[in-house]
Amino acid sequence: MWLFSRDPVRDFPFELGLPDADPEADPLPDPAAPAPLWRLLRGRRKADGAPVSVFAHSLGPGGDPAATALARAGLKRLRSLRHPNILGYLDSLETEQCLYLVTEAVTPLRRHLRLHPPSGDSGEQEVAWGLQRLLTALAFLGVSGLVHHSLGLDSIFVDPGGEWKLGGLERVAAATEGTPTRPPGDPSRPQDPPELSDPSRGKGDPWAGDMWRLGCLIWEVFNGPLPRPGALRSFGKIPPGLIPPFSELVAADPGARPGPGPLLERLQRPGAFLACALVRTGLFLEHFQVQDPSERRTFLQELPPLLESLPGPFRRHKLLPRLLEALELGSADASALPPLLQVAKVLDPPEYQERIVPVLVRLFSSPERGLRLRLLQLLEEYIEFLPEATVDSQIFPHVAHGFLDSNPAIREQTVKSMVLLAPKLGEGRRGGELPRLLLKVQGGDALGPLRCNATLCLGRLTRRRVLAPALARATRDPFPPARAAAVAAFAATHGCYSPPEVAGRVLPPLCALTVDPHPGVRQQAFRAIRSFLEQLEAAAEAGGAQEGDASSTAPTAGGGTGGLGAAVSWAVTGVTSLTARLMGGEGGTAPHHPPPTQGPPQTPAESPTAPPKEPPPEENPPEEPPLEDADGWDDDWGSLEDMELPQSPPTSSPEEVETPPQPPGPTPTEPPPSAPPPAGGGDEGGWGVGGEWGTEDAWEALPSQH
């Protein structure tokens, strides 16, 4: 028959590892303490490699039959009791030599306290969270009519998230059975309640003995092993908020000790020991799915400032899974993304790509506009973890819909995100589809800031063959910052143009900007022209250059470190505030005047033949003189935020136009300077006046349909 015997351990779905040895040597065991009932082993699930804990009890010859009976009773009780705060049972196996009990991965509380002793406010919060879990488990036993009878450091375990789990259920019995007597030969322990050795004190409630042991446990958590019962008279390092309940727990009269349920309720009142940020956060996460949506949003918005005060294991093993689950199930909105990404920073890149990236990819396909907008706004925090193949095939197709979205906030963030997404795109999308989408925004969007951003992105990301025409078109944009962005892009990509291209495609649109109505645009244009002329002079002195020379000796578009890099950075961070300034000064649009033909605009005091001069300082700030520079390429081209913005002229003088002076007063087609801009009028109407698109209220209120 031995031919048909099978090894039960080999077919067991869990792999039994080595003993779970403590990295530090255990202190010498108490000689009066009995031999441990279980040996703790490391293990893992064969299906997925998840870590587990394996408790092993020897059944070999010479074993103690009473201890074996206790071990079997504890296994049976653990299998039947299922509660989140009781050690989680997974499986068990009995062979001729050993009894195996498999549970969730845990560490004994005694070892955990030795490796991580509680100290400071964070340590007290961890103990408060553990006591809340322990009292909840004891209250559950009380409601079920059970008593633990052996509560202590060796019957409590800590999971990877820092939660305390109640174990050691070998002596659990019904409350109606009364307090068990000490077995013969079993030595007394300091943690034993006094009524166990002196029946004259009375019995009290069935859970009175567990409450005494809970008081001893609190003392040992903060002060170390309890040497004798008399040491309980000294509070030691017990926090002040725990001293009153501790004194009640170790009362000599069993009837004066509080029950687990009332004690838990009292300690969770405002200002009590368990009313701390960690306990409140943990309890809210437990009931997150059933909370009101407004309460969930408020909790998530208040969570980021609290993250630094929460223990690292709690954030990684408790908070992060709940946030991922809430986003996948749709019970959390975009307000869950900031805390999620902040907590996920502690993950290793492989774990990040395994746990976080799949969720982010699914969120990009969500029909919720606020969620997609928040993903784009926070792109810089997780772009480094996104694989290039994932961005090209799964993320960009969803992001590309934002170029033509009816909501301007989505279009704006979509354009800005290309600076980060483009380097991870394949050659086909980066060289074909992306430039076409940016050209659509640059040439057809009704909002100037978006055209400005598209111009900056084109200057950095576009190929040579479409770069010069695209930037030349931007120089004719009615929005002044868009024209200035075109000049900055021309300057930053100067190495992409051969001398014939500079003379035929670059200089003509730049020369047209030398008479631009905006003084800042004129100043940038003159500086760019001088630098391009120096480039042509150098090429001429070198004997001329062939058509394709620039591509072999100069960096590609946007590859330099100056100029456009700063401009693009400005576009990503400051275009909304700049738009608000322009809207306040211009009514939301730059006046689209015909190009001047006789120099700078004239003031009403000048005659048509008088030499032109600049407007007085009180009407327009004077232009800054151009900086002296040897070659002009590595200079700071300035920020569009710092440029002089067109201002409305005073009401006592006519506006600067290319027509003869008109008497003051409004015209049929143009409102007076002091009047507000007409609703819906102008090229940039309605952008950035009522608030910035990047605020919480803006993206939360966005409709969800495309």
Side-chain angles (χ1 to χ4, degrees), residues 321-364:
R322 290 303 178 96
L323 293 177
L324 290 173
E325 179 186 14
L327 283 171
E328 290 191 276
L329 297 179
S331 57
D333 57 11
S335 56
L337 283 174
L340 170 68
L341 296 176
Q342 187 173 344
V343 173
K345 290 180 180 179
V346 301
L347 302 179
D348 297 330
E351 186 177 3
Y352 195 104
Q353 294 185 7
E354 179 183 355
R355 301 179 61 185
I356 308 299
V357 171
V359 177
L360 295 176
V361 172
R362 285 192 291 270
L363 293 180
F364 270 107

mmCIF file of all heavy atoms in Angstrom, residues 321-364:
data_model
loop_
_atom_site.group_PDB
_atom_site.id
_atom_site.type_symbol
_atom_site.label_atom_id
_atom_site.label_comp_id
_atom_site.label_asym_id
_atom_site.label_seq_id
_atom_site.Cartn_x
_atom_site.Cartn_y
_atom_site.Cartn_z
ATOM 1 N N PRO A 321 -4.335 50.667 -0.702
ATOM 2 C CA PRO A 321 -5.314 49.751 -1.309
ATOM 3 C C PRO A 321 -6.737 50.288 -1.303
ATOM 4 O O PRO A 321 -7.487 50.067 -2.269
ATOM 5 C CB PRO A 321 -5.184 48.491 -0.439
ATOM 6 C CG PRO A 321 -3.824 48.558 0.149
ATOM 7 C CD PRO A 321 -3.577 50.011 0.376
ATOM 8 N N ARG A 322 -7.133 51.017 -0.241
ATOM 9 C CA ARG A 322 -8.488 51.560 -0.198
ATOM 10 C C ARG A 322 -8.680 52.635 -1.254
ATOM 11 O O ARG A 322 -9.748 52.725 -1.878
ATOM 12 C CB ARG A 322 -8.783 52.109 1.197
ATOM 13 C CG ARG A 322 -8.921 51.040 2.266
ATOM 14 C CD ARG A 322 -10.012 50.043 1.912
ATOM 15 N NE ARG A 322 -10.143 48.974 2.880
ATOM 16 C CZ ARG A 322 -11.012 48.960 3.874
ATOM 17 N NH1 ARG A 322 -11.851 49.976 4.010
ATOM 18 N NH2 ARG A 322 -11.065 47.947 4.706
ATOM 19 N N LEU A 323 -7.688 53.473 -1.479
ATOM 20 C CA LEU A 323 -7.803 54.511 -2.502
ATOM 21 C C LEU A 323 -7.879 53.888 -3.897
ATOM 22 O O LEU A 323 -8.677 54.328 -4.742
ATOM 23 C CB LEU A 323 -6.619 55.475 -2.409
ATOM 24 C CG LEU A 323 -6.550 56.348 -1.149
ATOM 25 C CD1 LEU A 323 -5.288 57.190 -1.160
ATOM 26 C CD2 LEU A 323 -7.778 57.236 -1.036
ATOM 27 N N LEU A 324 -7.060 52.875 -4.158
ATOM 28 C CA LEU A 324 -7.117 52.204 -5.453
ATOM 29 C C LEU A 324 -8.485 51.545 -5.664
ATOM 30 O O LEU A 324 -9.068 51.632 -6.754
ATOM 31 C CB LEU A 324 -6.007 51.158 -5.543
ATOM 32 C CG LEU A 324 -4.570 51.687 -5.643
ATOM 33 C CD1 LEU A 324 -3.573 50.551 -5.547
ATOM 34 C CD2 LEU A 324 -4.367 52.457 -6.934
ATOM 35 N N GLU A 325 -8.972 50.917 -4.626
ATOM 36 C CA GLU A 325 -10.272 50.262 -4.725
ATOM 37 C C GLU A 325 -11.381 51.287 -4.978
ATOM 38 O O GLU A 325 -12.281 51.059 -5.791
ATOM 39 C CB GLU A 325 -10.546 49.481 -3.444
ATOM 40 C CG GLU A 325 -11.891 48.782 -3.415
ATOM 41 C CD GLU A 325 -12.170 48.139 -2.079
ATOM 42 O OE1 GLU A 325 -11.452 48.452 -1.094
ATOM 43 O OE2 GLU A 325 -13.112 47.333 -1.986
ATOM 44 N N ALA A 326 -11.316 52.422 -4.286
ATOM 45 C CA ALA A 326 -12.349 53.444 -4.455
ATOM 46 C C ALA A 326 -12.342 54.017 -5.867
ATOM 47 O O ALA A 326 -13.403 54.266 -6.457
ATOM 48 C CB ALA A 326 -12.144 54.554 -3.425
ATOM 49 N N LEU A 327 -11.160 54.226 -6.440
ATOM 50 C CA LEU A 327 -11.093 54.759 -7.799
ATOM 51 C C LEU A 327 -11.572 53.738 -8.824
ATOM 52 O O LEU A 327 -12.240 54.084 -9.806
ATOM 53 C CB LEU A 327 -9.662 55.192 -8.112
ATOM 54 C CG LEU A 327 -9.210 56.516 -7.490
ATOM 55 C CD1 LEU A 327 -7.725 56.727 -7.698
ATOM 56 C CD2 LEU A 327 -9.988 57.687 -8.090
ATOM 57 N N GLU A 328 -11.235 52.488 -8.619
ATOM 58 C CA GLU A 328 -11.663 51.459 -9.576
ATOM 59 C C GLU A 328 -13.167 51.213 -9.517
ATOM 60 O O GLU A 328 -13.806 50.960 -10.545
ATOM 61 C CB GLU A 328 -10.908 50.160 -9.304
ATOM 62 C CG GLU A 328 -9.430 50.228 -9.666
ATOM 63 C CD GLU A 328 -8.769 48.868 -9.642
ATOM 64 O OE1 GLU A 328 -8.363 48.434 -8.544
ATOM 65 O OE2 GLU A 328 -8.665 48.245 -10.711
ATOM 66 N N LEU A 329 -13.751 51.311 -8.324
ATOM 67 C CA LEU A 329 -15.184 51.073 -8.178
ATOM 68 C C LEU A 329 -16.023 52.315 -8.445
ATOM 69 O O LEU A 329 -17.250 52.226 -8.481
ATOM 70 C CB LEU A 329 -15.489 50.539 -6.765
ATOM 71 C CG LEU A 329 -14.862 49.192 -6.402
ATOM 72 C CD1 LEU A 329 -15.227 48.811 -4.977
ATOM 73 C CD2 LEU A 329 -15.309 48.110 -7.371
ATOM 74 N N GLY A 330 -15.360 53.470 -8.602
ATOM 75 C CA GLY A 330 -16.099 54.697 -8.875
ATOM 76 C C GLY A 330 -16.677 55.372 -7.652
ATOM 77 O O GLY A 330 -17.471 56.306 -7.788
ATOM 78 N N SER A 331 -16.308 54.939 -6.444
ATOM 79 C CA SER A 331 -16.828 55.575 -5.241
ATOM 80 C C SER A 331 -16.023 56.799 -4.831
ATOM 81 O O SER A 331 -16.370 57.465 -3.853
ATOM 82 C CB SER A 331 -16.845 54.573 -4.083
ATOM 83 O OG SER A 331 -15.561 54.036 -3.855
ATOM 84 N N ALA A 332 -14.955 57.115 -5.543
ATOM 85 C CA ALA A 332 -14.148 58.313 -5.275
ATOM 86 C C ALA A 332 -13.975 59.075 -6.577
ATOM 87 O O ALA A 332 -13.875 58.488 -7.653
ATOM 88 C CB ALA A 332 -12.782 57.934 -4.692
ATOM 89 N N ASP A 333 -13.941 60.409 -6.466
ATOM 90 C CA ASP A 333 -13.765 61.241 -7.648
ATOM 91 C C ASP A 333 -12.302 61.660 -7.763
ATOM 92 O O ASP A 333 -11.411 61.041 -7.174
ATOM 93 C CB ASP A 333 -14.706 62.457 -7.587
ATOM 94 C CG ASP A 333 -14.489 63.283 -6.326
ATOM 95 O OD1 ASP A 333 -13.493 63.040 -5.615
ATOM 96 O OD2 ASP A 333 -15.314 64.179 -6.057
ATOM 97 N N ALA A 334 -12.064 62.733 -8.508
ATOM 98 C CA ALA A 334 -10.687 63.165 -8.769
ATOM 99 C C ALA A 334 -9.956 63.601 -7.509
ATOM 100 O O ALA A 334 -8.726 63.674 -7.518
ATOM 101 C CB ALA A 334 -10.692 64.314 -9.785
ATOM 102 N N SER A 335 -10.667 63.897 -6.427
ATOM 103 C CA SER A 335 -9.994 64.311 -5.197
ATOM 104 C C SER A 335 -9.175 63.189 -4.572
ATOM 105 O O SER A 335 -8.364 63.446 -3.675
ATOM 106 C CB SER A 335 -11.025 64.825 -4.188
ATOM 107 O OG SER A 335 -12.018 63.855 -3.943
ATOM 108 N N ALA A 336 -9.347 61.949 -5.025
ATOM 109 C CA ALA A 336 -8.548 60.840 -4.504
ATOM 110 C C ALA A 336 -7.176 60.749 -5.165
ATOM 111 O O ALA A 336 -6.306 60.036 -4.653
ATOM 112 C CB ALA A 336 -9.291 59.517 -4.692
ATOM 113 N N LEU A 337 -6.967 61.444 -6.279
ATOM 114 C CA LEU A 337 -5.691 61.318 -6.986
ATOM 115 C C LEU A 337 -4.509 61.929 -6.234
ATOM 116 O O LEU A 337 -3.453 61.297 -6.152
ATOM 117 C CB LEU A 337 -5.812 61.948 -8.376
ATOM 118 C CG LEU A 337 -6.566 61.109 -9.410
ATOM 119 C CD1 LEU A 337 -6.749 61.901 -10.693
ATOM 120 C CD2 LEU A 337 -5.841 59.813 -9.692
ATOM 121 N N PRO A 338 -4.597 63.157 -5.680
ATOM 122 C CA PRO A 338 -3.421 63.695 -4.969
ATOM 123 C C PRO A 338 -2.936 62.817 -3.825
ATOM 124 O O PRO A 338 -1.743 62.506 -3.756
ATOM 125 C CB PRO A 338 -3.909 65.078 -4.500
ATOM 126 C CG PRO A 338 -4.973 65.460 -5.475
ATOM 127 C CD PRO A 338 -5.656 64.181 -5.826
ATOM 128 N N PRO A 339 -3.806 62.363 -2.894
ATOM 129 C CA PRO A 339 -3.266 61.477 -1.845
ATOM 130 C C PRO A 339 -2.774 60.150 -2.386
ATOM 131 O O PRO A 339 -1.788 59.591 -1.877
ATOM 132 C CB PRO A 339 -4.452 61.293 -0.890
ATOM 133 C CG PRO A 339 -5.663 61.638 -1.670
ATOM 134 C CD PRO A 339 -5.229 62.675 -2.655
ATOM 135 N N LEU A 340 -3.425 59.625 -3.432
ATOM 136 C CA LEU A 340 -2.972 58.355 -4.002
ATOM 137 C C LEU A 340 -1.555 58.474 -4.538
ATOM 138 O O LEU A 340 -0.685 57.646 -4.242
ATOM 139 C CB LEU A 340 -3.930 57.916 -5.109
ATOM 140 C CG LEU A 340 -3.475 56.729 -5.970
ATOM 141 C CD1 LEU A 340 -3.457 55.457 -5.145
ATOM 142 C CD2 LEU A 340 -4.357 56.564 -7.191
ATOM 143 N N LEU A 341 -1.295 59.498 -5.327
ATOM 144 C CA LEU A 341 0.029 59.664 -5.917
ATOM 145 C C LEU A 341 1.066 60.014 -4.863
ATOM 146 O O LEU A 341 2.242 59.643 -4.991
ATOM 147 C CB LEU A 341 -0.021 60.748 -6.998
ATOM 148 C CG LEU A 341 -0.918 60.429 -8.202
ATOM 149 C CD1 LEU A 341 -0.976 61.609 -9.152
ATOM 150 C CD2 LEU A 341 -0.425 59.183 -8.928
ATOM 151 N N GLN A 342 0.656 60.718 -3.818
ATOM 152 C CA GLN A 342 1.600 61.054 -2.755
ATOM 153 C C GLN A 342 2.012 59.812 -1.974
ATOM 154 O O GLN A 342 3.185 59.645 -1.624
ATOM 155 C CB GLN A 342 0.964 62.088 -1.818
ATOM 156 C CG GLN A 342 1.910 62.647 -0.767
ATOM 157 C CD GLN A 342 1.296 63.774 0.021
ATOM 158 O OE1 GLN A 342 0.278 64.353 -0.371
ATOM 159 N NE2 GLN A 342 1.885 64.109 1.158
ATOM 160 N N VAL A 343 1.060 58.932 -1.710
ATOM 161 C CA VAL A 343 1.390 57.699 -0.987
ATOM 162 C C VAL A 343 2.189 56.749 -1.874
ATOM 163 O O VAL A 343 3.100 56.062 -1.408
ATOM 164 C CB VAL A 343 0.098 57.021 -0.497
ATOM 165 C CG1 VAL A 343 0.400 55.662 0.114
ATOM 166 C CG2 VAL A 343 -0.606 57.904 0.519
ATOM 167 N N ALA A 344 1.878 56.720 -3.170
ATOM 168 C CA ALA A 344 2.526 55.775 -4.077
ATOM 169 C C ALA A 344 4.000 56.096 -4.311
ATOM 170 O O ALA A 344 4.717 55.258 -4.880
ATOM 171 C CB ALA A 344 1.794 55.748 -5.415
ATOM 172 N N LYS A 345 4.470 57.257 -3.889
ATOM 173 C CA LYS A 345 5.872 57.610 -4.106
ATOM 174 C C LYS A 345 6.824 56.673 -3.369
ATOM 175 O O LYS A 345 7.997 56.564 -3.745
ATOM 176 C CB LYS A 345 6.123 59.055 -3.665
ATOM 177 C CG LYS A 345 5.472 60.096 -4.559
ATOM 178 C CD LYS A 345 5.754 61.497 -4.052
ATOM 179 C CE LYS A 345 5.110 62.557 -4.951
ATOM 180 N NZ LYS A 345 5.354 63.927 -4.449
ATOM 181 N N VAL A 346 6.361 56.011 -2.325
ATOM 182 C CA VAL A 346 7.250 55.135 -1.559
ATOM 183 C C VAL A 346 7.421 53.778 -2.228
ATOM 184 O O VAL A 346 8.269 52.989 -1.798
ATOM 185 C CB VAL A 346 6.705 54.943 -0.125
ATOM 186 C CG1 VAL A 346 6.579 56.276 0.584
ATOM 187 C CG2 VAL A 346 5.359 54.231 -0.141
ATOM 188 N N LEU A 347 6.656 53.499 -3.267
ATOM 189 C CA LEU A 347 6.750 52.194 -3.929
ATOM 190 C C LEU A 347 7.972 52.130 -4.840
ATOM 191 O O LEU A 347 8.394 53.140 -5.419
ATOM 192 C CB LEU A 347 5.485 51.929 -4.751
ATOM 193 C CG LEU A 347 4.150 51.940 -4.004
ATOM 194 C CD1 LEU A 347 3.011 51.680 -4.976
ATOM 195 C CD2 LEU A 347 4.141 50.924 -2.883
ATOM 196 N N ASP A 348 8.522 50.950 -4.972
ATOM 197 C CA ASP A 348 9.594 50.740 -5.939
ATOM 198 C C ASP A 348 9.014 50.803 -7.353
ATOM 199 O O ASP A 348 7.826 50.518 -7.559
ATOM 200 C CB ASP A 348 10.249 49.382 -5.710
ATOM 201 C CG ASP A 348 10.908 49.299 -4.341
ATOM 202 O OD1 ASP A 348 11.355 50.348 -3.846
ATOM 203 O OD2 ASP A 348 10.950 48.193 -3.758
ATOM 204 N N PRO A 349 9.834 51.173 -8.360
ATOM 205 C CA PRO A 349 9.300 51.262 -9.729
ATOM 206 C C PRO A 349 8.585 50.009 -10.211
ATOM 207 O O PRO A 349 7.503 50.116 -10.800
ATOM 208 C CB PRO A 349 10.550 51.581 -10.562
ATOM 209 C CG PRO A 349 11.442 52.319 -9.612
ATOM 210 C CD PRO A 349 11.213 51.687 -8.275
ATOM 211 N N PRO A 350 9.103 48.792 -9.984
ATOM 212 C CA PRO A 350 8.330 47.622 -10.441
ATOM 213 C C PRO A 350 6.972 47.497 -9.756
ATOM 214 O O PRO A 350 5.966 47.189 -10.402
ATOM 215 C CB PRO A 350 9.254 46.444 -10.098
ATOM 216 C CG PRO A 350 10.628 47.027 -10.020
ATOM 217 C CD PRO A 350 10.436 48.398 -9.478
ATOM 218 N N GLU A 351 6.936 47.746 -8.452
ATOM 219 C CA GLU A 351 5.659 47.666 -7.742
ATOM 220 C C GLU A 351 4.720 48.784 -8.174
ATOM 221 O O GLU A 351 3.504 48.592 -8.265
ATOM 222 C CB GLU A 351 5.898 47.721 -6.234
ATOM 223 C CG GLU A 351 4.636 47.499 -5.417
ATOM 224 C CD GLU A 351 4.907 47.494 -3.921
ATOM 225 O OE1 GLU A 351 6.077 47.718 -3.530
ATOM 226 O OE2 GLU A 351 3.957 47.285 -3.152
ATOM 227 N N TYR A 352 5.273 49.961 -8.457
ATOM 228 C CA TYR A 352 4.456 51.071 -8.933
ATOM 229 C C TYR A 352 3.790 50.719 -10.267
ATOM 230 O O TYR A 352 2.596 50.967 -10.464
ATOM 231 C CB TYR A 352 5.337 52.317 -9.088
ATOM 232 C CG TYR A 352 4.583 53.620 -9.226
ATOM 233 C CD1 TYR A 352 4.500 54.507 -8.165
ATOM 234 C CD2 TYR A 352 3.966 53.975 -10.425
ATOM 235 C CE1 TYR A 352 3.823 55.707 -8.287
ATOM 236 C CE2 TYR A 352 3.283 55.164 -10.554
ATOM 237 C CZ TYR A 352 3.222 56.034 -9.481
ATOM 238 O OH TYR A 352 2.531 57.224 -9.614
ATOM 239 N N GLN A 353 4.556 50.150 -11.168
ATOM 240 C CA GLN A 353 3.992 49.791 -12.470
ATOM 241 C C GLN A 353 2.996 48.643 -12.360
ATOM 242 O O GLN A 353 2.070 48.543 -13.169
ATOM 243 C CB GLN A 353 5.123 49.418 -13.433
ATOM 244 C CG GLN A 353 6.028 50.587 -13.780
ATOM 245 C CD GLN A 353 7.065 50.244 -14.824
ATOM 246 O OE1 GLN A 353 7.038 49.159 -15.388
ATOM 247 N NE2 GLN A 353 7.989 51.158 -15.080
ATOM 248 N N GLU A 354 3.147 47.807 -11.351
ATOM 249 C CA GLU A 354 2.229 46.685 -11.189
ATOM 250 C C GLU A 354 0.919 47.102 -10.536
ATOM 251 O O GLU A 354 -0.160 46.637 -10.916
ATOM 252 C CB GLU A 354 2.901 45.591 -10.353
ATOM 253 C CG GLU A 354 2.012 44.383 -10.096
ATOM 254 C CD GLU A 354 2.679 43.352 -9.205
ATOM 255 O OE1 GLU A 354 3.869 43.531 -8.869
ATOM 256 O OE2 GLU A 354 2.006 42.384 -8.829
ATOM 257 N N ARG A 355 0.980 48.025 -9.560
ATOM 258 C CA ARG A 355 -0.218 48.368 -8.790
ATOM 259 C C ARG A 355 -0.858 49.681 -9.217
ATOM 260 O O ARG A 355 -2.082 49.816 -9.170
ATOM 261 C CB ARG A 355 0.138 48.448 -7.295
ATOM 262 C CG ARG A 355 0.695 47.179 -6.706
ATOM 263 C CD ARG A 355 1.039 47.350 -5.240
ATOM 264 N NE ARG A 355 -0.133 47.699 -4.439
ATOM 265 C CZ ARG A 355 -0.094 47.995 -3.145
ATOM 266 N NH1 ARG A 355 1.075 47.982 -2.510
ATOM 267 N NH2 ARG A 355 -1.186 48.300 -2.483
ATOM 268 N N ILE A 356 -0.077 50.666 -9.617
ATOM 269 C CA ILE A 356 -0.612 52.015 -9.845
ATOM 270 C C ILE A 356 -0.875 52.271 -11.328
ATOM 271 O O ILE A 356 -1.928 52.799 -11.694
ATOM 272 C CB ILE A 356 0.361 53.083 -9.294
ATOM 273 C CG1 ILE A 356 0.713 52.769 -7.831
ATOM 274 C CG2 ILE A 356 -0.255 54.458 -9.406
ATOM 275 C CD1 ILE A 356 -0.470 52.755 -6.895
ATOM 276 N N VAL A 357 0.063 51.888 -12.195
ATOM 277 C CA VAL A 357 -0.067 52.228 -13.615
ATOM 278 C C VAL A 357 -1.337 51.646 -14.237
ATOM 279 O O VAL A 357 -2.038 52.349 -14.983
ATOM 280 C CB VAL A 357 1.195 51.786 -14.382
ATOM 281 C CG1 VAL A 357 0.994 51.922 -15.884
ATOM 282 C CG2 VAL A 357 2.392 52.625 -13.933
ATOM 283 N N PRO A 358 -1.708 50.376 -13.987
ATOM 284 C CA PRO A 358 -2.958 49.886 -14.595
ATOM 285 C C PRO A 358 -4.186 50.698 -14.195
ATOM 286 O O PRO A 358 -5.085 50.914 -15.015
ATOM 287 C CB PRO A 358 -3.045 48.442 -14.082
ATOM 288 C CG PRO A 358 -1.644 48.053 -13.779
ATOM 289 C CD PRO A 358 -0.995 49.305 -13.277
ATOM 290 N N VAL A 359 -4.220 51.173 -12.961
ATOM 291 C CA VAL A 359 -5.358 51.991 -12.527
ATOM 292 C C VAL A 359 -5.354 53.331 -13.253
ATOM 293 O O VAL A 359 -6.398 53.821 -13.701
ATOM 294 C CB VAL A 359 -5.310 52.184 -11.000
ATOM 295 C CG1 VAL A 359 -6.439 53.096 -10.540
ATOM 296 C CG2 VAL A 359 -5.403 50.841 -10.302
ATOM 297 N N LEU A 360 -4.183 53.949 -13.398
ATOM 298 C CA LEU A 360 -4.105 55.234 -14.098
ATOM 299 C C LEU A 360 -4.529 55.090 -15.563
ATOM 300 O O LEU A 360 -5.212 55.959 -16.108
ATOM 301 C CB LEU A 360 -2.679 55.784 -14.013
ATOM 302 C CG LEU A 360 -2.182 56.161 -12.609
ATOM 303 C CD1 LEU A 360 -0.722 56.599 -12.668
ATOM 304 C CD2 LEU A 360 -3.031 57.264 -12.004
ATOM 305 N N VAL A 361 -4.132 54.003 -16.190
ATOM 306 C CA VAL A 361 -4.515 53.788 -17.591
ATOM 307 C C VAL A 361 -6.029 53.687 -17.724
ATOM 308 O O VAL A 361 -6.633 54.273 -18.641
ATOM 309 C CB VAL A 361 -3.823 52.525 -18.138
ATOM 310 C CG1 VAL A 361 -4.366 52.169 -19.516
ATOM 311 C CG2 VAL A 361 -2.310 52.737 -18.216
ATOM 312 N N ARG A 362 -6.669 52.978 -16.805
ATOM 313 C CA ARG A 362 -8.133 52.868 -16.862
ATOM 314 C C ARG A 362 -8.803 54.203 -16.585
ATOM 315 O O ARG A 362 -9.848 54.521 -17.161
ATOM 316 C CB ARG A 362 -8.606 51.813 -15.863
ATOM 317 C CG ARG A 362 -8.338 50.392 -16.306
ATOM 318 C CD ARG A 362 -9.076 49.402 -15.440
ATOM 319 N NE ARG A 362 -8.541 49.344 -14.101
ATOM 320 C CZ ARG A 362 -7.565 48.528 -13.709
ATOM 321 N NH1 ARG A 362 -7.023 47.700 -14.596
ATOM 322 N NH2 ARG A 362 -7.135 48.508 -12.472
ATOM 323 N N LEU A 363 -8.201 55.027 -15.724
ATOM 324 C CA LEU A 363 -8.810 56.319 -15.409
ATOM 325 C C LEU A 363 -8.747 57.266 -16.597
ATOM 326 O O LEU A 363 -9.615 58.141 -16.746
ATOM 327 C CB LEU A 363 -8.108 56.940 -14.203
ATOM 328 C CG LEU A 363 -8.285 56.216 -12.864
ATOM 329 C CD1 LEU A 363 -7.529 56.939 -11.768
ATOM 330 C CD2 LEU A 363 -9.750 56.095 -12.510
ATOM 331 N N PHE A 364 -7.736 57.143 -17.453
ATOM 332 C CA PHE A 364 -7.656 58.016 -18.624
ATOM 333 C C PHE A 364 -8.818 57.769 -19.586
ATOM 334 O O PHE A 364 -9.158 58.657 -20.367
ATOM 335 C CB PHE A 364 -6.330 57.802 -19.351
ATOM 336 C CG PHE A 364 -5.225 58.696 -18.877
ATOM 337 C CD1 PHE A 364 -4.190 58.204 -18.110
ATOM 338 C CD2 PHE A 364 -5.220 60.050 -19.193
ATOM 339 C CE1 PHE A 364 -3.170 59.033 -17.671
ATOM 340 C CE2 PHE A 364 -4.212 60.890 -18.765
ATOM 341 C CZ PHE A 364 -3.186 60.379 -17.992
#
